[in-house]
């Protein structure tokens, strides 16, 4: 901040004036001061300082405009180390010499200015904050179909996309790991609406300004499209494809269905854009705490889905069509009274076992206890794959 640059203050700078300057910046006010500052060579100079806040279109102060006028000529000559022993006339002569440029600026050009010189100077030196001009940040001019990236509509839209991105970050790993087909009409409609919103977001991104490398706002439509095509377009396009509608059909081949389910994981890459948008909230302690809790819960959810996938893959040996009794899924099924059973009369496959809700809750419970290094042991890894994953998960928890 400007008022924290106390390298310009010195032993003769008035402490009350310094405090008034600080309060002006803290309260986002307009004000004027006569203040004694020091040059690099420690020469004291009187300045008339004007502070004016600059506001954007939302009436929020974005920066301050500070102007300094050398008024040493009109002040009592200053006695410093270099002028000790000088007469008052000599010090005044030196002040006049050093302020020759000020004299040239204040020299009137005609008689009218001569008449008003005294009153004008008095007005300048006694200027109050109430008559300072209101400075505002001018919004850049854009073509009619281009949207400013910081306007109210785009800000609201970005929050909607943020919420939907978190929704997909939760549901996509769950649907992929538990191999759920969205036969429920309500969930299918909701996911379809999300896909449509992501598609609309792609269209809006082709018409939204962005900040260039030099800090300038880029509003040229051609540059906007080229920048979006080179950055997030491919990821956003893969994110809005209707995978859930394809998987909803019963006659879809299992391999194709698994492929489309796996491609849904690409949507998680949109979290990179979320991280950029949340970056400016990290200066608030409460926001950081909430963000850390959300990230911890999200990581635990992802690990729970992976933990279940490992158990589901290893619980049944597809070569011998036998069940592994040391798998955590088999042990969980026995403990809650829903064991696996072999269907000898029908499909000839293993059936039964815990419900998907029970499996997810147990997986999340295990990952939470492992990440927090508690580990009660009622759900424990037994196979090699489960042990390797548990070691990796505890290493993540240690960080």
């Amino acid at each position: 901040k400007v008022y924290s640059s106390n390298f310009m203050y010195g032993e003769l700078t008035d402490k009350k004036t310094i405090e008034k300057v600080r309060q002006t910046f803290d309260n986002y006010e307009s004000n004027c001061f006569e203040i004694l500052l020091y040059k690099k060579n420690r020469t004291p100079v009187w300045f008339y300082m004007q502070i004016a806040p600059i506001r954007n279109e939302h009436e929020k102060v974005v920066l301050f405009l500070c102007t300094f006028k050398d008024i040493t000529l009109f002040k009592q000559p200053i006695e410093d180390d270099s002028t000790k022993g000088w007469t008052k006339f000599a010090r005044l002569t030196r002040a006049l010499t050093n302020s020759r440029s000020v004299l040239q600026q204040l020299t009137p050009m005609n008689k009218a200015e001569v008449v008003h010189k005294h009153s004008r100077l008095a007005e300048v030196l006694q200027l109050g904050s109430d008559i300072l001009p209101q400075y505002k940040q001018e919004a850049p001019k854009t073509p009619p179909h281009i949207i400013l990236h910081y306007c109210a509509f785009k800000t609201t839209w970005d929050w909607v996309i943020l919420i939907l991105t978190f929704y997909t970050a939760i549901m996509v790993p769950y649907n992929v790991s538990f191999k759920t087909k969205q036969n429920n009409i309500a969930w299918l409609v909701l996911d379809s609406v999300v896909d449509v919103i992501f598609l609309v977001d792609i269209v809006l991104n082709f018409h939204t300004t962005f900040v260039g490398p030099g800090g300038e706002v880029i509003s040229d439509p051609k540059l906007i499209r080229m920048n979006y095509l080179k950055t997030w377009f491919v990821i956003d396009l893969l994110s809005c494809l209707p995978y859930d509608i394809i998987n909803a059909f019963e006659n879809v081949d299992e391999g194709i269905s698994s492929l489309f389910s796996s491609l849904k994981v690409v949507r998680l890459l949109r979290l990179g854009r979320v991280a950029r948008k949340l970056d400016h909230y990290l200066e608030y302690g409460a926001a950081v705490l909430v963000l850390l809790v959300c990230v911890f819960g999200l990581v635990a959810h992802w690990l729970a889905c992976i933990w279940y996938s490992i158990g589901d893959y290893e619980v049944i040996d597809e070569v011998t069509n036998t069940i592994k009794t040391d798998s955590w899924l088999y042990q969980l099924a026995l403990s809650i009274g829903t064991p696996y059973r072999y269907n000898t009369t029908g499909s000839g496959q293993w059936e039964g076992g815990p419900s998907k809700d029970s499996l997810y809750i147990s997986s999340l419970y295990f990952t939470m206890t492992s990440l927090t290094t508690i580990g009660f042991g009622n759900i424990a890894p037994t196979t090699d794959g489960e042990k390797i994953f548990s070691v990796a998960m505890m290493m993540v928890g240690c960080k």
Side-chain angles (χ1 to χ4, degrees), residues 222-288:
K222 184 179 296 185
L223 294 177
I224 292 174
R225 290 161 191 161
M226 291 300 297
N227 177 73
Y228 184 52
L229 287 172
K230 291 188 295 185
T231 52
W232 291 97
F233 173 72
V234 175
I235 294 175
D236 290 347
L237 181 63
L238 293 176
S239 300
C240 69
L241 295 179
Y243 304 111
D244 296 314
I245 295 179
I246 298 174
N247 286 339
F249 295 102
E250 295 292 341
N251 57 350
V252 175
D253 182 76
E254 187 68 24
I256 297 177
S257 178
S258 300
L259 175 62
F260 277 102
S261 296
S262 301
L263 287 175
K264 289 166 60 178
V265 180
V266 176
R267 292 183 176 181
L268 299 182
L269 296 176
R270 294 179 67 98
L271 289 174
R273 301 178 64 181
V274 173
R276 284 193 311 169
K277 296 182 185 300
L278 294 178
D279 183 61
H280 60 281
Y281 290 103
L282 297 181
E283 59 184 276
Y284 305 104
V288 173

Side-chain angles (χ1 to χ4, degrees), residues 109-129:
M109 300 303 296
N110 51 51
K111 293 183 179 180
E113 291 185 6
V114 174
V115 174
H116 297 288
K117 177 182 178 182
H118 177 74
S119 59
R120 185 66 178 172
L121 178 61
E123 178 184 349
V124 169
L125 294 182
Q126 298 176 4
L127 184 62
S129 60

Side-chain angles (χ1 to χ4, degrees), residues 76-369:
Q76 183 74 15
I78 305 166
E79 181 176 356
D80 56 12
D81 293 337
S82 62
T83 59
K84 284 185 178 180
W86 290 21
T87 63
K88 183 179 293 186
F89 177 77
R91 292 198 302 270
L92 178 60
T93 303
R94 181 190 178 189
L96 289 172
T97 304
N98 292 339
S99 304
R100 183 175 299 173
S101 58
V102 178
L103 280 172
Q104 293 175 352
Q105 294 175 3
L106 297 177
T107 300
M109 300 303 296
N110 51 51
K111 293 183 179 180
E113 291 185 6
V114 174
V115 174
H116 297 288
K117 177 182 178 182
H118 177 74
S119 59
R120 185 66 178 172
L121 178 61
E123 178 184 349
V124 169
L125 294 182
Q126 298 176 4
L127 184 62
S129 60
D130 54 336
I131 61 174
L132 276 175
Q134 288 289 328
Y135 294 94
K136 288 194 175 182
Q137 187 181 37
E138 183 181 2
K141 296 180 180 179
T142 59
H145 60 283
I146 298 298
I147 305 172
L148 289 173
H149 63 279
Y150 55 84
C151 67
F153 166 75
K154 195 60 172 66
T155 302
T156 305
W157 180 263
D158 288 340
W159 276 105
V160 172
I161 296 298
L162 172 66
I163 295 172
L164 295 181
T165 302
F166 274 111
Y167 166 79
T168 57
I170 295 172
M171 295 305 299
V172 165
Y174 178 83
N175 292 333
V176 172
S177 300
F178 289 84
K179 302 175 182 177
T180 58
K181 282 196 172 185
Q182 298 286 37
N183 295 324
N184 187 303
I185 298 299
W187 284 107
L188 186 61
V189 170
L190 178 59
D191 288 335
S192 300
V193 170
V194 172
D195 294 337
V196 171
I197 293 176
F198 283 160
L199 183 60
V200 174
D201 184 55
I202 292 178
V203 177
L204 290 179
N205 286 331
F206 275 115
H207 298 81
T208 303
T209 61
F210 68 96
V211 179
E216 73 282 7
V217 177
I218 305 299
S219 58
D220 186 356
K222 184 179 296 185
L223 294 177
I224 292 174
R225 290 161 191 161
M226 291 300 297
N227 177 73
Y228 184 52
L229 287 172
K230 291 188 295 185
T231 52
W232 291 97
F233 173 72
V234 175
I235 294 175
D236 290 347
L237 181 63
L238 293 176
S239 300
C240 69
L241 295 179
Y243 304 111
D244 296 314
I245 295 179
I246 298 174
N247 286 339
F249 295 102
E250 295 292 341
N251 57 350
V252 175
D253 182 76
E254 187 68 24
I256 297 177
S257 178
S258 300
L259 175 62
F260 277 102
S261 296
S262 301
L263 287 175
K264 289 166 60 178
V265 180
V266 176
R267 292 183 176 181
L268 299 182
L269 296 176
R270 294 179 67 98
L271 289 174
R273 301 178 64 181
V274 173
R276 284 193 311 169
K277 296 182 185 300
L278 294 178
D279 183 61
H280 60 281
Y281 290 103
L282 297 181
E283 59 184 276
Y284 305 104
V288 173
L289 181 61
V290 172
L291 184 61
L292 289 176
V293 172
C294 292
V295 170
F296 178 78
L298 194 60
V299 171
H301 168 73
W302 291 347
L303 294 176
C305 294
I306 298 175
W307 171 251
Y308 166 75
S309 299
I310 294 174
D312 183 60
Y313 176 78
E314 294 184 343
V315 68
I316 298 176
D317 190 342
E318 296 182 356
V319 178
T320 60
N321 199 21
T322 57
I323 195 165
K324 294 182 179 179
T325 57
D326 58 344
S327 172
W328 77 271
L329 286 180
Y330 181 81
Q331 298 296 331
L332 176 65
L334 290 179
S335 63
I336 63 176
T338 56
Y340 289 92
R341 60 182 182 274
Y342 184 72
N343 189 344
T344 57
T345 59
S347 60
Q349 296 180 350
W350 289 91
E351 298 176 350
S355 64
K356 291 187 182 298
D357 293 340
S358 179
L359 290 171
Y360 172 73
I361 294 173
S362 300
S363 300
L364 186 62
Y365 164 77
F366 172 75
T367 56
M368 283 286 190
T369 55

